[in-house]
Amino acid sequence: MTVLILTCEQDVTADLVVAQLHTTGVPMVRLDPADLPGGVALSGEYVNGAFRGQLSTGGRLVSLNGLRSIWLRRPGVPATRVAEPSPWLTEESSQALYGMLRGTGARWMNDPDAARRARHKPWQIRHAQRSGLPVPATLITTFPQAARDFAERFPDLVVKPVSGTHPISGARPQELPSTIPTSRIAPGTDFAAVAFGPTLLQRRIAKVADIRLTVVGDRMLAARKALPPDADPDEVDVRYATSGSPWHPVDVPARTATAVRAYLRDAELAYGAFDFVEDADGIWWFLECNQSGQFGFVELDTGQPISRSVADWLSHDGPDTETHRNGRMRSAP
Amino acid sequence: MTVLILTCEQDVTADLVVAQLHTTGVPMVRLDPADLPGGVALSGEYVNGAFRGQLSTGGRLVSLNGLRSIWLRRPGVPATRVAEPSPWLTEESSQALYGMLRGTGARWMNDPDAARRARHKPWQIRHAQRSGLPVPATLITTFPQAARDFAERFPDLVVKPVSGTHPISGARPQELPSTIPTSRIAPGTDFAAVAFGPTLLQRRIAKVADIRLTVVGDRMLAARKALPPDADPDEVDVRYATSGSPWHPVDVPARTATAVRAYLRDAELAYGAFDFVEDADGIWWFLECNQSGQFGFVELDTGQPISRSVADWLSHDGPDTETHRNGRMRSAP
């Protein structure tokens, strides 16, 4: 039973996990969908009610029926390395690859359709509320008057992009610097412009620390970055913080752990990187859950075995307790 | 409790359903996401664990908490009617609208994430096999040798696009004429070119009729179009058939009905338009299930109450028996 890793060539986070998998001896294949067709070839035969499929890359042939798990890490766009790329060929190649893989019954980290839903920030906020996580008061609106009313009730606000995507390309950010930082709203801001695009306003939490909670299957690895006493109160986005204070391992409060477990179970995700801020009362406020969030920087600071946990999840046998999406299909012959 | 219909302006199929809904008196709002922001405005507030949302269009304000169901029919792309469209604004508007709607707990026809999965033809074929439907032997490959071997075992083949999308734009076909017809493979075809793009080959079924089975919730409406005795055997794609023989209502064989029910339940779809071909033994062979398939042409020929069934499904109360995706969330307060 083989582990399949779908990611681009330049992916040091994947390198960490690959190194861990090598020590376990579990067969593993890593490929970039951008190389299909060409460096990557695929074939699937559906005859007499059965499926038999293969993927080949770098001279290796992998049976799709023998896939243990699939790590959808940071894959390139299919058919972008051919001599004459086209949207048509990309669509055909993408449908062939992901359509075939969706039908294998392998466990996903993460299931692509569940992952797509989980990227929607309005959905995340509602889902976090329902899972029992404290969420700062939030408004997403194109009504200027709604923004004004909200700012009156919650004068200390931050603004964030709704999608977390890059304003120029519309593409998913490949690296953090291409995202837009969360910023504070100045008092007396005129909200007329929200009519021109949905705007996400959120009550600013006076934080004493940032929390990154990485969840891999059943394992929770939390890290805390304390706010230095001289921190600039306008520096609300930890991703852009100039402070050099490192991440330290921290225990997860029992109530948060229960809620986070419910969040991932109902979201049908095997992996999630949660961002919280901790207030003076020790409450962890949910900011977001990035289903494909980086973890290398936390592992580097804390020494927590995150890549090891990912490798363990990908290589373990037995039933999938984290995602239920295709349960009925998985139990089929 | 309101029915929300997301579709473009020019949609006669939606018009049929809207007319039916008018007769029931169930409140209904129809809008095109292309008009957000602008003609369509939205607002959602997440405070103290609760959600309160509104959509406005044409002077009407709809509470998102009071949505009964959402028909994802043929929506335009968000933010494409603004003065300065951009991929960034489209992404922000799309995430705001669909992220908010995904969190409402309303029933979907169809759930957007389940629909996305269900569009993958390789997944459809495997899913049909597992659901107990007869599927013609199929190969999807970029290995020329695999294609040659398959053609030796199954000499009478047709070729189809893997994705069903338009070769030029890569977009979903808006109307049938922009799709590519299924065609027969001439004997002695050289398969070297499959290395340049995934190719779907399928054993041709010698058909006596085409079947269109439209399923709306628990209702099945099947129609049959008999092949005229003088039919051109090279004309395999019913969508392009020149024959004028009309569609007639037909009963669904019990075994097929059971399998189709399993297919939709496990696919988490409330609506599906199945295409079968019937062979001389009366077997219905699965070709595809289009989760957003048109039904106007069948209703016109057969008089079957498909638009009525869609309107009934959208307006009914009670628990959702067709889709289970967000069951846990729906039962939450």
Side-chain angles (χ1 to χ4, degrees), chain B residues 246-292:
Chain B
W247 292 94
H248 288 292
V250 67
D251 287 338
V252 185
R255 236 184 110 161
T256 305
T258 304
V260 159
R261 221 165 263 133
Y263 184 107
L264 290 176
R265 182 193 61 218
D266 296 351
E268 296 160 5
L269 298 176
Y271 176 90
F274 290 79
D275 288 325
F276 296 94
V277 285
E278 184 184 309
D279 69 13
D281 296 323
I283 303 283
W284 288 14
W285 292 87
F286 173 88
L287 296 186
E288 66 176 296
C289 173
N290 186 344
Q291 64 78 32
S292 67

Side-chain angles (χ1 to χ4, degrees), chain B residues 175-186:
Chain B
E175 298 301 334
L176 290 175
S178 64
T179 61
I180 305 179
T182 298
S183 328
R184 287 183 80 169
I185 295 273

Side-chain angles (χ1 to χ4, degrees), chain A residues 43 92 117 141 163 266 326, chain B residues 43 92 117 141 163 326 328:
Chain A
S43 200
E92 288 280 293
R117 177 177 63 170
T141 198
S163 61
D266 296 350
N326 286 325
Chain B
S43 201
E92 288 280 294
R117 178 177 62 171
T141 198
S163 61
N326 285 324
R328 200 174 274 109

Side-chain angles (χ1 to χ4, degrees), chain B residues 48-127:
Chain B
N48 291 333
F51 169 72
R52 217 161 45 92
Q54 282 96 30
L55 267 178
S56 96
T57 179
R60 287 190 60 186
L61 201 65
V62 190
S63 161
L64 294 183
N65 299 62
L67 285 187
R68 181 191 296 267
S69 57
I70 303 168
W71 190 24
L72 197 60
R73 180 35 216 162
R74 189 154 285 188
V77 175
T80 44
R81 288 217 189 87
V82 296
E84 293 181 42
S86 73
W88 157 249
L89 187 57
T90 287
E91 183 66 12
E92 288 280 294
S93 302
S94 177
Q95 294 263 340
L97 176 65
Y98 290 108
M100 220 175 271
L101 291 177
R102 272 177 175 85
T104 59
R107 294 179 299 120
W108 289 87
M109 179 178 274
N110 282 318
D111 174 276
D113 306 300
R116 182 159 178 261
R117 178 177 62 171
R119 277 198 292 266
H120 289 80
K121 208 171 279 184
W123 181 86
Q124 287 185 23
I125 292 169
R126 184 75 186 115
H127 191 60

